[in-house]
């Protein structure tokens, strides 16, 4: 075999059409061996002799795509000093574009003896660990281009590759649970009919099955246990051939783009699957432990952990920052994804102890001409001190708005004193984002996500039911802000089932009519249940997978969700680019403000209404002629106006429509718990009795010259708004 010196950049294994360049960073290494493995597992070791700026590199003209490989790094094993090099462990390439196999939790993966942790274990791990794979970068993208939906037009659908596709009756069983299935016409048709514009895929970076779950006969279903930041998870590959997951992932993205659907990845850069000091040696730990991980100052044998997973990446070293940025650019430029949701993003901002808005990570994201132009979403918290940072991220970022979730759950389960918070969240959470120059798109609004109850379970259970997880029901969030609607769990009581459907619709409609960017959890549009389990991280089975066999209630929920998404899409007043002001638009034909909050009598809410903790009812008026910002072509936006009536109490309440200066006639667009038919016309100042836990949406066209004889608008209403 010919062995050439190669190049120190780019890092990883890079096939150029003739051969492959290998480059690995390790500052602490004394020797590095590149190990090539054949289909039998036989290993050929090649000493890497070229080192530039701590990057070990070699070029092998004969190595082609499909070649398995790994590294053995010779260097100090001194945990007390933070060093854990161990040449008996075959290590993954941190830049591997594909990974073969799955770590087996074999004792050889650990550098210590299970019986005596102080004793070294030098058993060879090659037969029991995962292998890096050389891949071809070539793929026929055709005329693929990013859909590039404007943020304010975006509706996100959080989905799991396997969970969404495993039970779909129109997908062949042999391809279910794969990238091929995710790009299948049956899935794409559902997404298009639903009306979402982006899928946010739960982790697809190569992850590891946790040892403690394997021992219980369980699996890591969610995938928040990353080991390969460049490699699509191999278990989601249909073909099962070496490196084929890369081609299948690209084809999935291409198919979704052709359907005008963006692909956002849920990425886990805050920690790795190697865990704490008792974890396996798979990659980073054996390459340069102190350069990759945060260690406890003065006790470098232990890891500083703000993620609850055992370790945290060291975000102040240039090579960790380079790793993350190279990974992000790779997924945008080579895999054509459209954005990222960063798991436990507060950890990424911790250069030292505190969460720092001005950390190096945010600086380099801001400056990068590629990454700064895609959708960037933070999960704005971690488990460390000061980690809850909703509203605290820089202007370029959007955030999962946890305060939105909590407020909406509380309001719609009739908790007292929520009117003020409810209207703030409904209007885009300007109190959280406006002070930093951000707009409503900073708020990713959600009521449910993968972690917690589904929407159906949120209205069907008071308590978590997690016994199947094998942790005595103690895992998962205990404070869910849920209400079972009168009966815990499944019931044949039609009254309870009707109430649950109505409440689920109320939550879904509120989400989709709020200013900001809505995110729907997969299956919520069809009433998916997890039988009260709010922590299905280890439930890779029908409990967590989407059931596509729908009863009449679930079909009704699906139709309703499609209808509200269509309403949002058709009306710019529900997806404003700027925050509502509560004042008339300068130069507008209408003297009405852009938004008013009305009491049940159709007049502006009084101080008494706002301060009454038992007030659970209001009407939101949105003025379609009061949108100040133009569209992207600079044209003035004029839309229909809307009234949305919310009754979050458990009792029937009389609502009166506002006076004729808001519109002589309104049409019923959509409602829950209604005897009123869609399309019915209602005159100004009509009084309606709205059922408990209900919502009603009314629309009217813009005012015309035929409305000149309307009474003048009461200016005191504007002032009070």
């Amino acid at each position: 075999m010919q062995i050439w010196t190669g190049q120190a950049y780019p890092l990883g294994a890079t096939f150029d059409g003739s051969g492959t360049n290998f480059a690995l960073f390790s500052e602490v290494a004394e020797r590095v061996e590149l190990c090539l493995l054949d289909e039998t597992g036989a290993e050929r070791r090649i000493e890497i002799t070229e080192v530039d700026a701590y990057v070990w590199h070699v070029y092998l003209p004969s190595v082609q795509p499909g070649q398995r490989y790994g590294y053995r790094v010779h260097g100090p094993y001194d945990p007390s000093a933070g060093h854990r090099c161990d040449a008996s462990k075959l290590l993954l390439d941190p830049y591997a574009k594909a990974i073969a196999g799955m770590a087996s939790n074999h004792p050889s993966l650990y550098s210590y003896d299970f019986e005596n942790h102080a004793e070294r274990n030098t058993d060879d791990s090659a037969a029991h660990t995962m292998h890096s794979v050389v891949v071809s970068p070539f793929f026929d993208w055709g005329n693929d281009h990013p859909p590039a939906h404007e943020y304010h037009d975006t509706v996100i659908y959080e989905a799991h590759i396997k969970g969404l596709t495993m039970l779909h009756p129109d997908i062949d069983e042999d391809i279910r649970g794969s990238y091929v299935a995710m790009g299948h016409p049956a899935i794409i048709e559902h997404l298009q009919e639903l009306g979402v514009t982006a899928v946010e895929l739960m982790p697809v970076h190569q992850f590891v099955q946790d040892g403690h779950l394997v021992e219980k006969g369980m699996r890591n279903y969610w995938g928040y246990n990353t080991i390969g930041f460049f490699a699509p998870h191999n278990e989601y590959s249909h073909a099962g051939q070496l490196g084929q997951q890369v081609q299948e992932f690209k084809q999935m993205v291409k198919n979704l783009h052709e359907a005008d659907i963006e692909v956002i990845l849920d990425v886990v850069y805050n920690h790795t699957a190697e865990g704490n000091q008792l974890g396996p040696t798979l990659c980073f730990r054996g390459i340069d432990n102190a350069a990759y991980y945060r260690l406890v100052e003065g006790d470098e044998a232990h890891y500083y952990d703000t993620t609850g997973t055992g370790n945290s990446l060291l975000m102040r070293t240039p090579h960790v920052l380079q790793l993350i940025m190279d990974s992000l650019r790779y997924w945008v430029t080579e895999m054509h994804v459209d954005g990222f949701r960063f798991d436990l993003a507060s950890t990424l901002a911790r250069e030292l102890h505190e969460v720092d808005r001005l950390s190096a990570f945010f600086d380099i994201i801001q400056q990068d001409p590629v990454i700064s132009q895609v959708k960037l979403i933070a999960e704005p918290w971690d488990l460390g001190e000061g980690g809850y940072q909703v509203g605290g991220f820089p202007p370029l970022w959007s955030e999962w708005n946890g305060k939105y979730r909590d407020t909406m759950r509380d309001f719609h389960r009739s908790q007292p004193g929520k009117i003020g918070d409810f209207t703030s969240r409904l209007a885009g959470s300007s109190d959280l984002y406006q002070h930093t120059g951000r707009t409503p798109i900073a708020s990713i609004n959600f009521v449910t996500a993968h972690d917690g109850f589904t929407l159906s379970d949120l209205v069907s259970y008071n308590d978590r039911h997690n016994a199947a997880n094998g942790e005595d029901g103690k895992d998962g969030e205990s404070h869910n802000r849920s209400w079972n609607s009168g009966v815990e769990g499944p019931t044949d009581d039609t009254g309870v089932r009707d109430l649950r459907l109505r409440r689920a619709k109320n939550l879904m409609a509120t989400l989709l009519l709020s200013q900001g960017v809505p995110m729907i959890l997969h299956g919520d549009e069809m009433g998916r249940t997890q039988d009260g389990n709010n922590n299905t991280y280890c439930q890779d089975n029908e409990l967590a997978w989407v059931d596509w066999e729908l009863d009449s209630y679930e079909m009704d929920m699906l139709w309703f969700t499609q209808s509200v998404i269509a309403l949002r899409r058709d009306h710019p007043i529900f997806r404003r680019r700027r925050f509502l002001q509560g004042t008339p638009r300068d130069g507008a034909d209408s003297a009405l403000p852009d938004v008013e909050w009305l009491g049940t009598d159709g007049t502006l809410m009084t101080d008494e209404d706002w301060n009454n903790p038992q007030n659970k009812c209001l009407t939101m008026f949105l003025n379609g002629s009061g949108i100040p910002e133009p569209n992207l072509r600079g044209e003035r936006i004029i839309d229909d106006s809307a009234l949305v009536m919310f009754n979050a109490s458990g009792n029937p309440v009389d609502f009166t429509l506002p006076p004729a200066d808001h519109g002589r006639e309104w049409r019923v667009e959509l409602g829950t718990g209604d005897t009123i038919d869609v399309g019915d016309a209602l005159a100004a100042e009509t009084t309606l009795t709205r059922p408990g836990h209900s919502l009603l949406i009314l629309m009217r066209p813009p005012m015309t010259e035929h409305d000149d004889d309307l009474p003048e608008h009461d200016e005191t209403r504007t002032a009070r708004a």
Side-chain angles (χ1 to χ4, degrees):
M1 178 180 288
Q2 288 185 310
I3 300 175
W4 299 356
T5 59
Q7 302 291 328
Y9 186 85
L11 290 166
T14 305
F15 175 69
D16 61 9
S18 298
T20 303
N21 189 81
F22 296 88
L24 176 77
F25 160 77
S26 177
E27 185 173 349
V28 74
E30 298 165 358
R31 289 176 52 215
V32 173
E33 293 175 300
L34 169 66
C35 306
L36 304 180
L37 299 99
D38 64 19
E39 61 276 4
T40 68
E43 179 181 335
R44 177 174 182 176
R45 302 185 185 183
I46 298 168
E47 185 99 12
I48 300 179
T49 59
E50 295 294 325
V51 190
D52 291 294
Y54 303 117
V55 176
W56 303 70
H57 55 88
V58 66
Y59 182 90
L60 303 180
S62 61
V63 169
Q64 302 291 303
Q67 174 67 58
R68 294 175 183 249
Y69 72 99
Y71 292 101
R72 295 186 186 273
V73 176
H74 301 257
Y77 183 85
D78 184 2
S80 64
H83 302 310
R84 295 178 179 269
C85 294
D86 186 345
S88 70
K89 311 310 175 197
L90 183 69
L91 304 175
L92 288 169
D93 180 356
Y95 279 72
K97 305 299 193 304
I99 293 174
M102 184 60 65
S104 64
N105 200 38
H106 191 269
S108 65
L109 299 177
Y110 299 82
S111 294
Y112 61 89
D113 183 80
F114 280 4
E115 299 297 327
N116 181 2
H117 291 176
E119 184 176 330
R120 283 291 304 278
N121 170 20
T122 57
D123 292 345
D124 194 296
S125 69
H128 303 284
T129 192
M130 311 160 82
H131 301 154
S132 307
V133 180
V134 177
V135 303
S136 170
F138 306 112
F139 178 78
D140 182 9
W141 282 104
N143 63 352
D144 180 73
H145 61 277
H149 293 296
E150 290 293 322
Y151 237 139
H152 64 283
D153 294 332
T154 298
V155 178
I156 298 173
Y157 188 78
E158 189 191 26
H160 188 284
I161 292 283
K162 190 172 185 180
L164 185 63
T165 64
M166 273 301 289
L167 299 178
H168 200 295
D170 295 333
I171 299 177
D172 292 342
E173 290 188 18
D174 65 330
I175 65 172
R176 294 178 186 176
S178 69
Y179 303 118
V180 177
M182 188 68 204
H184 190 279
I187 296 296
I188 290 177
E189 181 182 9
H190 175 75
L191 297 174
Q192 288 180 310
E193 290 179 350
L194 185 58
V196 299
T197 67
V199 290
E200 182 178 298
L201 299 178
M202 290 178 64
V204 296
H205 288 176
Q206 183 68 48
F207 59 86
V208 173
Q209 296 297 332
D210 310 59
H212 73 281
L213 292 179
V214 173
E215 292 172 0
K216 295 179 181 179
M218 295 178 173
R219 291 170 51 80
N220 186 322
Y221 170 61
W222 285 353
Y224 292 93
N225 202 27
T226 303
I227 198 63
F229 295 121
F230 294 78
H233 187 62
N234 55 28
E235 292 179 311
Y236 297 152
S237 173
H238 159 57
Q241 300 171 0
L242 290 178
Q244 187 62 29
Q245 60 264 43
V246 178
Q247 301 295 312
E248 291 180 6
F249 183 93
K250 290 179 176 179
Q251 187 63 53
M252 174 195 72
V253 172
K254 184 178 179 181
N255 292 353
L256 287 164
H257 280 182
E258 287 177 353
D260 203 31
I261 297 171
E262 293 178 301
V263 178
I264 298 171
L265 300 188
D266 190 339
V267 289
V268 186
Y269 292 113
N270 53 73
H271 74 280
T272 80
E274 290 184 301
N276 63 16
Q277 69 276 4
L278 299 179
T281 299
L282 304 173
C283 181
F284 309 93
R285 190 195 307 277
I287 295 171
D288 198 332
N289 186 63
Y292 279 111
Y293 292 119
R294 294 196 66 178
L295 306 177
V296 177
E297 188 173 352
D299 183 16
E300 280 74 12
H302 292 88
Y303 294 81
Y304 186 88
D305 177 23
T306 59
T307 66
T309 60
N311 65 54
S312 303
L313 284 175
L314 184 58
M315 294 303 299
R316 65 174 180 266
T317 61
H319 287 94
V320 169
L321 292 171
Q322 180 185 4
L323 172 76
I324 295 174
M325 291 302 295
D326 286 349
S327 170
L328 292 170
R329 280 193 216 98
Y330 174 78
W331 287 96
V332 174
T333 60
E334 296 296 323
M335 307 296 265
H336 287 208
V337 305
D338 305 284
F340 304 95
R341 178 265 187 188
F342 293 78
D343 180 65
L344 299 181
S346 291
T347 292
L348 303 177
R350 292 181 185 270
E351 287 193 354
L352 297 172
H353 176 73
E354 299 83 5
V355 177
D356 183 0
R357 256 182 97 236
L358 303 177
S359 71
F361 175 70
F362 292 132
D363 287 346
I364 59 176
I365 290 284
Q366 182 78 36
Q367 298 172 44
D368 191 275
V370 175
I371 307 307
S372 64
Q373 299 307 303
V374 301
K375 290 180 168 67
L376 301 173
I377 303 169
E379 182 184 32
W381 50 76
D382 66 13
L383 301 184
E385 182 180 350
Y388 190 78
Q389 290 289 319
V390 173
F393 276 67
L396 190 65
W397 291 72
S398 297
E399 303 173 14
W400 270 26
N401 190 342
K403 293 185 178 180
Y404 179 96
R405 171 200 59 204
D406 296 346
T407 295
M408 295 310 174
R409 289 186 175 195
D410 279 344
F411 178 78
H412 282 295
R413 67 186 180 115
S414 298
Q415 291 299 290
K418 295 298 176 180
I419 282 286
D421 286 346
F422 175 73
T423 56
S424 294
R425 305 297 152 245
L426 193 62
S429 297
S430 61
D431 58 320
L432 298 178
Y433 305 113
Q434 193 169 27
H435 68 285
T436 54
R438 290 197 276 177
T439 62
I441 65 170
S443 181
I444 304 298
N445 299 327
F446 69 106
V447 175
T448 56
H450 66 273
D451 187 1
F453 280 145
T454 66
L455 184 59
S456 176
D457 287 355
L458 189 68
V459 298
S460 303
Y461 293 89
N462 286 345
D463 303 304
R464 61 190 174 186
H465 295 263
N466 296 357
N469 296 353
E471 299 181 45
D472 297 324
K474 297 177 181 178
D475 62 299
E477 176 61 58
S478 59
H479 183 46
N480 294 284
R481 292 181 162 88
S482 62
W483 174 45
N484 64 17
S485 306
V487 176
E488 187 75 357
T491 180
D492 293 328
D493 187 320
T494 57
V496 172
R497 295 190 69 190
D498 289 345
L499 175 58
R500 288 175 177 175
L501 177 61
R502 191 159 74 246
R503 293 182 58 224
K505 287 180 175 181
N506 293 341
L507 286 159
M508 182 66 76
T510 302
L511 171 66
L512 291 164
L513 300 180
S514 296
Q515 305 297 327
V517 182
M519 185 187 77
I520 301 169
L521 172 62
H522 75 187
D524 274 357
E525 75 277 16
M526 301 180 288
R528 181 174 74 93
T529 179
Q530 294 175 165
D531 296 341
N533 191 316
N534 72 349
N535 190 32
T536 57
Y537 77 103
C538 59
Q539 297 297 327
D540 189 2
N541 51 53
E542 293 189 8
L543 178 66
W545 300 340
V546 173
D547 183 358
W548 293 86
E549 299 295 327
L550 307 183
D551 63 21
S552 60
Y553 284 86
E554 294 158 344
M555 288 291 293
D556 192 357
M557 186 69 199
L558 176 58
W559 169 86
F560 182 85
T561 306
Q562 292 169 335
S563 300
V564 185
I565 292 177
L567 184 67
R568 179 185 179 87
R569 180 193 63 226
D570 294 343
H571 292 288
I573 52 168
F574 296 121
R575 42 185 176 83
R576 292 271 301 263
R577 293 173 53 238
R578 299 288 183 265
F579 285 114
L580 297 161
Q581 300 297 317
T583 58
R585 175 188 180 275
D586 290 342
D589 297 335
S590 172
L592 294 168
D594 56 2
V595 62
E596 285 186 336
W597 306 104
L598 310 178
T600 56
D601 62 356
T603 67
L604 282 173
M605 288 178 60
T606 65
D607 290 342
E608 183 180 355
D609 293 329
W610 287 112
N611 295 325
N612 179 4
Q614 298 307 315
N615 183 16
K616 301 166 186 176
C617 302
L618 79 158
T619 296
M620 175 178 67
F621 167 74
L622 293 175
N623 183 6
S625 299
I627 302 175
E629 66 269 17
N631 63 21
L632 297 179
R633 296 185 296 275
E635 301 164 341
R636 179 185 170 191
I637 300 173
I638 300 179
D639 191 16
D640 290 1
S641 294
L643 289 175
V644 186
M645 299 177 175
F646 298 93
N647 180 6
S649 76
N651 304 309
V653 174
D654 288 340
F655 281 73
T656 299
L657 272 63
D661 63 343
H662 288 64
R664 287 184 177 278
E665 188 173 89
W666 297 83
R667 69 176 183 274
V668 176
E669 194 71 32
L670 211 56
T672 63
D674 275 306
T675 56
I676 304 173
D677 292 329
V678 171
D680 278 0
L682 299 174
E685 302 187 69
T686 297
T687 297
L688 308 171
T689 301
R690 302 297 303 138
H693 300 292
S694 69
L695 173 148
L696 184 65
I697 307 166
L698 307 172
M699 306 291 294
R700 69 151 174 83
M703 297 284 198
T704 69
E705 64 274 11
H706 300 296
D707 296 308
D708 289 343
D709 59 340
L710 290 176
E712 291 187 7
H713 176 64
D714 183 355
E715 293 300 330
T716 61
R717 296 172 61 89
T718 300
R720 290 167 63 187

